[in-house]
Amino acid sequence: MSAGYTVDEWGPVHAIPTFHKAGAGERTAPFGTAEHPIPLIIDSDPGLDDALAIGLAAASPEIQLLAVTTVGGNADVTRCTENALRLLHAYGRDDVPVAEGAAGALLGSIVRATEVHGESGIGSTTLEASTNAARPEGAVALIARLLETHPEPVAIAPIGPLTNIALLLRLYPHLSSRISHLCLMGGSIGEGNTTASAEFNIIADPEAADVVFRSGVPITMIGLDVTHQALLDRESAAALRALGTTSGRIAAELTEFALDRNLEWSGSTTTAIHDAVAVAHLMVPDLVAVAPYHVTVDTTQGPARGRTVCDGLPYRLRRDGRQPNADVGIVIDRGRFERLLVDAFARLP
Ligand code: RIB
Ligand code: CA
């Protein structure tokens, strides 16, 4: 289903000099409906925007949230796990199992984003302790068990570094066919955020990302090009707070923490809720426009390490005998995205 956007709408988004702007194509990702919710596992490093993504999934009848697994990224993995347990508790979803995954990358030193998300990973917000504990089997084994036992293939939304997903593909290669789609937040066609080349989730573990993009599993890459259009502002935070609920307050606090940081760092009055776009794409068929690209991950040790090299130019693909291996997000309707989030949090306690 096309999102009905035209490439011309890239204009204000792509101030960067892109030689080729792929036309919006048909999405390959499945999407859930209230009648047939999409079975989904979220692999996450909660994380300010992760927290809103998990809330969106927890509140949406289009999503059957099977599990939240954690990976070190925005904060230490133990923090991320505790955050996931406490967020699901606050959202009234103690029924969703949590399991802890990799503390750090397959290779190289551990990369963190605590300067962005705070040492806790959730800014200055404090959450009530959960009555649940993380499942002792661990993230990769839990994902594998769900893939093996669920009656239909399961979508996975990796919204942190891809270490757990790479380990899953290497430990259980026979289960890749049980993954209906990987709708991942990460990468970018253009500039990175952690470095000029690389977006955080990819540079936090480029080797893992390389395994994933080479895997042949159907992928949608929700990168910075589209997530930097998925913006909330002070009015959004006020609308969340006005819900008068615990979940609304949490979402408002997390959003305000990010807004305060962005204002201090760059004078910006908005904040991108990157991870929630990956979840939204799996529940709203025409919110995000995507285009087909061949994505390669730079795993060198130079200045381009962690870059997702996105080639959508048909001539080059034919010349080099390459096929697109991912849908890449290019446009999203900011107003619809904001309303989707606020309406979802209105359904949470
Ligand atoms: O670059 C944005 C990504 O890095 C998001 O997943 C955010 O949570 C951080 O992990
Ligand atoms: Ca994240």
Side-chain angles (χ1 to χ4, degrees), residues 84-101:
L85 286 165
R86 292 183 180 221
L87 286 163
L88 287 166
H89 183 64
Y91 297 154
R93 294 302 307 272
D94 285 329
D95 60 298
V96 177
V98 172
E100 184 165 295

Side-chain angles (χ1 to χ4, degrees), residues 10 14 16-22 189 293 311-316:
W10 279 50
H14 280 263
I16 56 174
T18 49
F19 170 66
H20 170 69
K21 293 177 182 172
I189 300 167
Y293 278 87
D311 193 351
L313 187 65
Y315 163 72
R316 278 196 301 254

Side-chain angles (χ1 to χ4, degrees), residues 45 49-50 74 159-160 201 275:
D45 59 338
D49 54 328
D50 305 67
N74 289 325
I159 55 176
N201 288 337
D275 293 335

